[in-house]
Amino acid sequence: MTAESSAQQKRLDRATAHLETPVAAVDLAAFDANAAALSVRSAGKPIRVASKSVRVRALLERVLQRPGWSGVMAYTLPEAIWLVRSGVSDDVLVAYPTVDRTAIAELTADPTLAAAITIMVDDPGHLDLVDAVTAPGRRPPVRICLELDASWRPAGPLHVGVRRSPVHSAAQAGALARRLVARPGFTLVAMMAYEAHIAGLGDAPPGQALRARAIRAIQRRALPELLKRRMAAVRAVREHADLEFVNGGGTGSMAATAADPSVTEVAAGSGLFGPTLFDAYRAWRPTPAAFFALSVVRRPAPRIATVLGGGWIASGPTGPSRQPTPWLPQGLRFRSDEGAGEVQTPLIGEVADQLRPGDRVWFRHAKAGELCEHVNEVHLVDGDTATPAPTYRGEGHAFLG
């Protein structure tokens, strides 16, 4: 174990020694350093914090107090309403279309909410649903954002990227914008294009040299195509609407997206916590800032230490990359035939012989905000002290539960 990692483990252990496991912790020094680094990478463009990658109100408020950070990108309309009513932000973009009629009714009944929240659309049917809940003449204007599909389609049916909006070309974007602005009761104020195949796909996956080369080759060709198409799409949409902002990017593509003159703001969230999926990026790797600790409860054999719990698996394609990573002490790994278990997790490695029942193992989650779905609070570590802060779950909210 390096001197740096040993010091980090001792500090985490000291700050949380009075707490029972499982315990989640966020190192505020690393969190703040990541926030500052992202601000530099955004090259002066404002960063909208992606709440799904944080899910702790206190940390959303903390980063929004920093220069260069402005507004929230929420993942559901009920969450956006809660964030506005809680005073976290008066500028919230809902990054995914909503069909939540109860939340739409609440949005359209309150002029303050309607002025603070922008909902995502990529089909006139999204507007039909809002109208069915509250007719245009009986509500304040609803702010809407048009989403452009950022995936790369080099030829025929080949599709590189996630399946999001059906609006792919500049012509499609312009045609939809024309239909949107013609609808009473709505105001088209924004446009978004999230390049998931660049921002959310690491180009240096450990131990996968061939895959790494393939990813880099794809990204080298996909990014220029997107920059040209997004610029044309923004131009086409601006023929019909005076856009307040154009959002793009994420932690993994911050610098490249910020350099796009058609984008007025970027988004980031995962880079604040530095989960393990971002260890696979060459351009920038955040400092690990979020951890969870489990206690050793068994020593079933030499070089094996078993902790209680551990099966906190991340979303996405199942595989080793979605498992949490034993982080401290260094040198531990999962058994290939058991992995991270729901109730117990055997860990192997020479360092396991040094562990005894009651000792702690610190893990990093594969993704950022999903860690917070497993705990009611995270402990904000500052030096040798830890201050509890409730997660969304701890405040009684499971917006996708």
Side-chain angles (χ1 to χ4, degrees):
M1 183 184 301
T2 66
E4 182 179 359
S5 62
S6 177
Q8 183 181 55
Q9 180 178 0
K10 289 177 181 177
R11 189 160 57 83
L12 290 170
D13 284 342
R14 282 195 301 266
T16 62
H18 60 293
L19 302 169
E20 299 296 339
T21 58
V23 59
V26 172
D27 184 332
L28 289 180
F31 180 91
D32 290 344
N34 289 334
L38 286 164
S39 293
V40 171
R41 295 183 64 75
S42 73
K45 290 188 177 177
I47 306 173
R48 186 178 293 271
V49 59
S51 62
K52 81 175 184 65
S53 299
V54 179
R55 307 191 204 194
V56 179
R57 264 204 304 161
L59 291 174
L60 292 174
E61 292 168 344
R62 184 182 184 93
V63 77
L64 286 172
Q65 292 172 0
R66 299 185 60 90
W69 292 78
S70 178
V72 177
M73 178 180 283
Y75 54 96
T76 73
L77 181 54
E79 179 209 9
I81 291 171
W82 178 65
L83 290 174
V84 172
R85 293 205 187 283
S86 300
V88 173
S89 178
D90 60 1
D91 175 13
V92 183
L93 170 66
V94 183
Y96 306 88
T98 183
V99 294
D100 188 319
R101 291 172 172 80
T102 301
I104 291 171
E106 188 173 356
L107 172 73
T108 54
D110 188 330
T112 299
L113 292 177
I117 295 172
T118 303
I119 63 173
M120 191 65 60
V121 301
D122 59 37
D123 188 296
H126 295 136
L127 278 58
D128 295 340
L129 195 146
V130 174
D131 284 347
V133 173
T134 310
R138 300 172 54 195
R139 67 172 193 248
V142 174
R143 294 167 54 87
I144 57 175
C145 175
L146 185 158
E147 180 168 6
L148 177 76
D149 174 51
S151 64
W152 184 43
R153 303 177 186 177
L158 185 60
H159 182 109
V160 179
V162 298
R163 303 281 178 171
R164 291 180 66 108
S165 170
V167 182
H168 187 77
S169 68
Q172 288 174 320
L176 179 58
R178 183 173 60 251
R179 295 181 66 182
L180 296 178
V181 299
R183 295 284 294 264
F186 298 94
T187 305
L188 178 58
V189 300
M191 183 171 163
M192 185 181 88
Y194 172 56
E195 51 267 50
H197 54 302
I198 300 170
L201 184 62
D203 61 354
Q208 302 180 58
L210 290 177
R211 175 175 168 80
R213 285 198 290 272
I215 291 172
R216 292 170 199 166
I218 288 171
Q219 292 179 344
R220 280 196 301 270
R221 296 184 64 185
L223 182 58
E225 184 277 334
L226 173 62
L227 296 178
K228 182 178 179 181
R229 178 164 51 88
R230 180 162 51 195
M231 187 173 295
V234 170
R235 188 165 51 245
V237 172
R238 286 193 184 276
E239 291 179 2
H240 305 283
D242 184 14
L243 299 179
E244 295 177 16
F245 62 90
V246 176
N247 181 280
T251 292
S253 66
M254 176 70 69
T257 305
D260 182 349
S262 70
V263 171
T264 66
E265 65 170 40
V266 288
S270 294
L272 296 169
F273 280 3
T276 59
L277 284 178
F278 283 86
D279 292 349
Y281 286 76
R282 293 185 305 160
W284 179 68
R285 294 177 183 174
T287 301
F291 312 89
F292 67 94
L294 304 175
S295 291
V296 175
V297 292
R298 285 177 170 166
R299 287 297 317 280
R303 297 189 179 183
I304 299 179
T306 301
V307 296
L308 191 66
W312 297 5
I313 308 300
S315 60
T318 55
S321 69
R322 260 50 184 186
Q323 292 196 96
T325 297
W327 189 244
L328 298 170
Q330 292 183 339
L332 294 169
R333 64 187 188 277
F334 297 121
R335 286 177 55 87
S336 60
D337 60 346
E338 293 195 56
E342 177 189 8
V343 179
Q344 72 161 36
T345 298
L347 300 170
I348 59 177
E350 290 186 14
V351 71
D353 280 335
Q354 302 172 23
L355 298 175
R356 297 293 179 266
D359 289 344
R360 291 182 173 180
V361 175
W362 289 92
F363 292 76
R364 291 170 61 206
H365 203 276
K367 299 184 80 172
E370 292 182 21
L371 166 64
C372 297
E373 296 299 328
H374 296 276
V375 293
N376 290 333
E377 58 189 14
V378 297
H379 294 267
L380 309 182
V381 174
D382 186 4
D384 289 343
T385 64
T387 303
T391 61
Y392 281 13
R393 166 180 148 158
E395 296 202 65
H397 297 288
F399 293 110
L400 287 177

